[in-house]
């Protein structure tokens, strides 16, 4: 007889209890958090009623960092300790940052880590840490508003973010103590927010020009399934660049020389941004620049002049559009409409040129600043299980090809761009010398033929290959890209069956050790006990594992024999007992035991689900 | 058939008859139906075992869809299932075909720097598509025949298709270059 389950009061969630989930748009300029309440997805305001949180972090000596409006206000006055547009630095090396000409604004610390660190009064800060501060602020806002801990979040990233940039985003979430359900591509989130699936089948384009990044995605919609056909973009092109060219023009007009201080440059940018935004509503705007000793230059910027300045930048967004169209194999006539996303699409000139290019209607009904967060909230609500009957499914793609370095510094493509994720590819390698026991593999991402023109993702070494004659070993390396677009690598020597150890050294990412250190540091500040946090996290994990098995049992218990059921129940009981204790290692072991006990059950459930889905077709074929 | 059995063929996975001339509409529909069941988004809060399995299966469903929807990949996969060796190192093809390839390449080289590059590229692209379609029709006939000789011819035809495929990729790159300049 199966064990009768009696849960402790308040311990087990009722099957359809609403779980708290949120969507987070971690933007270059502004960030937002949104959630679904009473069936409605909406962004959450702070205590002053403001929805947008400026993505600015100010570090202070001996005090916790400040995030948002207060930090933004200090941008000009305390430029070196106030970090803005940190998204541009995520997953990037110092050389990339300097190429983007924004390194002059900050002082970067010398370090042997591949991750650049900005020198502030509060110490050297990595972009991941600064992003984590923004995420923490949004987490606190959501939890205060919703009155409870978040079960999970969906964080959006530019579709064109590469592996290093995605990993950095996930690391930041981990530092902020968030459970990431999914990294979602921003254009896909926008398509979800527009509810395009319900109204219109067919091909749609999402044009997303934000503060620092540009994405274009082409989607086919079919009864709740959002199938991304292709994506393209530029992760270093956005409203910031518009501000920069306007600021340069202002500097020229005002007769400022080549040497402009960081402080003055920040002031110029702020004035440029103000003028740009104003010109979305009016034809011309007065501008002024402080020159020196209280002397002020005054002038005027009109739309015509603005267009001359920004047209080249808008043109730069159109070649990715062409490529995405070609990769999707879609003709212009097939496109129903273009969804406009990102604050920069407020500019009339952007709307005009994009509408001309795609020759169709441009959709702007939802606030372009909020649309991504709203879409992420809808997806989070589905993923967390609040809508068990929802038909929505997002099928996204990997934006850039993955490859490995071969002889002569050439790239061999392993997974092509725009492959639907999750995806995997196995590649066989062999040894080059007799008795060789190790092999180095260099993974890169990009479309170019030369390794030096692609982005280096990681280098790893396969060790422990049994000594054999040259060319005799068969090492199968499997590249797996998960639903977040993140790569993992496993390797196995085929002849001997030896599982080679893979040591991945991210080229521009933080190592696990560095992340752990950051966690420790942040806790030291918060005076939180490291051990207590580990225990609490493991208990949450245990609760999650038990809930997952119980909800599976509630639906498919009939797939198990009585004996199997008893084993599974016993593993649940054992885990529940360990979770009461205070040994996080034992809890972890009990979770692993429960996972092992539910392996077969998982496979059977999956088979049953597939059979049910395909049942109709089988009949029609065999009768 | 156990869908979680990773050794079954893609045709079985999608419940389609093993042939070249497949119903692409049915394929796309079943692809979506399968992903609705196996996709990791359905298991975001599930136990580790289910999450792992879901990723494996969704990966396989994606790979199967990618293979079956593209005529070249489908032809190669079918040949593999039928035990016809595809030696990529062996590139012997009839002289007429190689001449045609050379001509197409010469036309491609002439696009760059010409005054009407866009128009030439467009025409070349159209011609290649036309030749590809002919090969795909040929493959359908050969696979329907199914005799050992027909399968050998199908192998050659799929090799030819591969040439066009590469040409198409280079054309796309050229298109990018032209757009960039």
């Amino acid at each position: 007889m199966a064990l009768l389950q009696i849960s402790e009061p308040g311990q087990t969630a009722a099957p359809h209890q609403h779980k708290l989930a949120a969507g987070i748009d971690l933007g270059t300029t502004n960030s937002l958090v949104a959630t679904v309440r009473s069936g409605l997805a909406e962004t959450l305001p702070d205590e002053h009623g403001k929805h947008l949180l400026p993505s600015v972090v100010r570090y202070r000596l001996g005090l916790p960092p400040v995030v948002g409006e207060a930090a933004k206000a200090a941008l000009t006055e305390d430029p070196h300790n106030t970090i803005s547009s940190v998204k541009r630095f995520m997953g990037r090396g110092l050389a990339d940052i300097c190429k983007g000409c924004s390194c002059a604004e900050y002082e970067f610390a010398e370090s042997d880590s591949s991750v650049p660190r900005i020198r502030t009064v509060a110490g050297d800060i990595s972009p991941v840490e600064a992003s984590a501060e923004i995420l923490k602020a949004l987490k606190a806002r959501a939890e205060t508003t919703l009155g409870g801990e978040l079960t999970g979040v969906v964080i959006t990233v530019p579709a064109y973010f590469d592996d290093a940039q995605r990993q950095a985003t996930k690391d930041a979430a981990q530092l902020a103590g968030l459970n990431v359900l999914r990294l979602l591509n921003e254009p896909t989130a926008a398509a979800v927010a527009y509810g395009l699936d319900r109204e219109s089948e067919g091909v749609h384009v999402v044009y997303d020009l934000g503060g620092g990044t540009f994405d274009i995605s082409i989607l086919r919609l079919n009864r709740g399934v959002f199938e991304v056909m292709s994506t393209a973009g530029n992760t270093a092109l956005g409203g910031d660049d518009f501000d920069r060219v306007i600021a340069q023009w202002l500097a020229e007009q005002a007769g400022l020389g080549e040497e402009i201080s960081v402080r003055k440059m920040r002031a110029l940018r702020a004035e440029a941004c103000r003028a740009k935004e104003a010109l979305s509503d009016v034809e011309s705007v007065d501008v002024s620049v402080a020159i020196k000793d209280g002397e002020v230059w005054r002038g005027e910027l009109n739309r015509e002049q603005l267009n001359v300045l920004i047209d080249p930048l808008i043109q730069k967004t159109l070649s990715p559009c062409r490529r995405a169209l070609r990769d999707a194999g879609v003709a212009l006539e097939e496109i129903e409409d273009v969804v406009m996303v990102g604050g920069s699409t407020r500019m009339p000139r952007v709307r005009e040129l994009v509408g001309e290019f795609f020759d169709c209607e441009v959709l702007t009904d939802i606030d372009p600043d909020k649309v991504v967060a709203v879409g992420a909230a809808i997806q989070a609500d589905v993923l967390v299980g609040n809508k068990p009957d929802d038909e929505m499914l997002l099928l996204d793609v990997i934006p850039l090809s993955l490859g490995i370095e071969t002889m002569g510094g050439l790239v061999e493509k392993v997974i092509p761009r725009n492959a639907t994720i999750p995806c995997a590819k196995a590649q066989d390698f062999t040894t080059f010398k007799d008795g060789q026991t190790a092999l180095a593999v260099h993974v890169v991402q990009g479309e170019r033929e030369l390794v030096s023109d692609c982005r280096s993702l990681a280098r790893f070494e396969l060790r422990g290959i049994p000594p054999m004659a040259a060319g005799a070993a068969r090492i199968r390396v499997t590249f797996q890209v998960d639903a977040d677009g993140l790569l993992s690598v496993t390797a196995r020597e085929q002849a001997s069956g030896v599982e080679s150890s893979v040591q991945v050294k991210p080229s521009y990412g933080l190592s696990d050790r560095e992340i752990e250190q950051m966690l420790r540091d942040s806790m030291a500040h918060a005076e939180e006990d490291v051990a207590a946090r580990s225990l609490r996290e493991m208990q949450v994990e245990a609760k999650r594992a038990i809930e997952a098995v119980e909800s599976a049992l509630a639906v498919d218990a009939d797939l198990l024999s009585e004996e199997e059921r008893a084993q599974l129940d016993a593993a649940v009981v054992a885990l529940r007992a360990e979770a009461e204790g205070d040994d996080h290692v034992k809890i972890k072991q009990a979770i692993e035991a429960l996972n092992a006990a539910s392996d077969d059950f998982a496979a059977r459930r999956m088979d049953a689900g597939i059979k049910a889905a395909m049942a109709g077709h089988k009949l029609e074929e065999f009768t | 058939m156990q869908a979680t059995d990773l050794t079954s063929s893609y045709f079985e996975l999608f419940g389609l008859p093993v042939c070249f001339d497949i119903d692409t509409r049915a394929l796309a529909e079943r692809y979506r139906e399968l992903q609705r069941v196996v996709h990791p988004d359905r298991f975001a809060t599930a136990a580790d075992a289910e999450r792992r399995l879901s990723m494996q299966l969704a990966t396989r469903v994606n790979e199967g869809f990618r293979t079956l929807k593209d005529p070249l990949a489908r032809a190669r996969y079918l040949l593999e299932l039928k035990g016809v060796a595809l030696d990529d190192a062996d590139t012997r093809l009839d002289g007429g075909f190689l001449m045609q390839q050379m001509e197409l390449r010469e036309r491609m080289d002439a696009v760059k720097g010409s005054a009407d590059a866009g128009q030439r590229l467009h025409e070349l692209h159209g011609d290649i598509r036309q030749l590809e379609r002919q090969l795909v029709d040929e493959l359908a006939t050969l696979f329907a025949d199914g005799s050992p000789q027909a399968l050998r011819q199908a192998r050659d035809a799929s090799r030819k298709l591969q040439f066009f495929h590469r040409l198409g990729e280079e054309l796309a790159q050229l298109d990018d270059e032209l757009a960039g300049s």
Side-chain angles (χ1 to χ4, degrees), chain A residues 368-538:
Chain A
D369 282 325
K370 292 181 180 170
V371 62
V372 166
V374 165
I378 295 172
Q379 167 78 334
D381 197 44
V382 172
L383 291 187
V384 87
N386 285 339
K387 283 187 176 168
D389 303 321
D390 200 277
E391 289 282 273
M392 186 177 92
L393 183 65
L394 313 182
L395 300 171
D396 227 310
V397 300
I398 175 171
L400 295 150
S401 303
L402 286 168
I404 41 179
E405 178 170 355
T406 61
M407 293 288 188
L410 295 176
V411 179
E412 172 156 336
K413 297 248 170 86
V414 177
I415 295 175
R417 72 163 181 249
N418 291 322
T420 306
I421 51 174
C423 56
K425 177 80 180 283
Q427 189 95 14
D428 286 343
F429 294 87
T430 191
T431 45
F432 173 70
K433 273 196 248 163
D434 287 344
Q436 186 178 339
T437 58
L439 197 84
V441 179
H442 184 199
V443 188
V444 298
Q445 190 162 27
E447 309 311 318
R448 306 284 291 277
E449 280 171 30
L450 291 176
V451 166
S452 51
D453 293 331
C454 288
R455 167 145 298 267
S456 170
L457 286 187
R459 290 173 191 276
F460 61 89
E461 281 188 6
L462 305 175
R463 295 182 176 280
I465 302 168
M468 283 184 249
R474 279 275 167 280
I475 300 121
R476 172 152 296 184
V477 179
T478 305
F479 299 83
Q480 171 82 56
V481 179
D482 66 16
D484 291 325
L486 288 172
L487 172 73
S488 62
V489 188
T490 50
R492 188 184 180 82
E493 205 289 303
Q494 298 287 95
S496 65
V498 170
E499 193 90 24
S500 306
S501 58
V502 181
Q503 271 243 307
V504 180
K505 190 169 169 281
S507 306
Y508 296 106
L510 296 164
S511 64
D512 289 348
R513 203 178 45 78
E514 283 175 295
I515 291 178
E516 199 176 317
Q517 189 56 46
M518 285 177 186
L519 268 173
R520 280 173 193 284
D521 291 351
S522 71
M523 279 178 232
H525 280 300
E527 290 175 6
E528 196 179 350
D529 185 357
V530 180
R533 172 150 169 176
S534 304
L535 177 64
R536 202 166 56 84
E537 280 179 353
M538 206 47 82

Side-chain angles (χ1 to χ4, degrees), chain A residues 182 222-223 322-323 326 379 383 391 420-422 424 480 548 595 599 602-603 605-607 610 614 617 621, chain B residues 2-4 14-15 30-33 36 40-41 47-50 52-53 55 57 59 62 172 175-176 179:
Chain A
R182 184 72 67 236
N222 196 305
R223 274 177 290 160
R322 283 164 54 91
R323 209 178 67 212
R326 198 184 57 222
Q379 167 78 334
L383 291 187
E391 289 282 273
T420 306
I421 51 174
Q480 171 82 56
N595 283 338
D599 256 349
R605 269 165 55 76
M606 203 69 93
D607 270 327
I610 293 170
M614 302 297 275
H617 304 306
E621 252 155 59
Chain B
Q2 298 286 297
T4 46
F14 286 88
R30 283 168 210 192
Y31 167 66
R32 288 191 286 266
E33 280 165 13
R36 269 189 211 284
D41 281 2
D48 277 6
E50 291 194 337
R52 213 169 35 238
L53 194 62
M55 184 167 77
L57 281 172
T59 296
N62 278 333
D175 191 29
D176 276 349

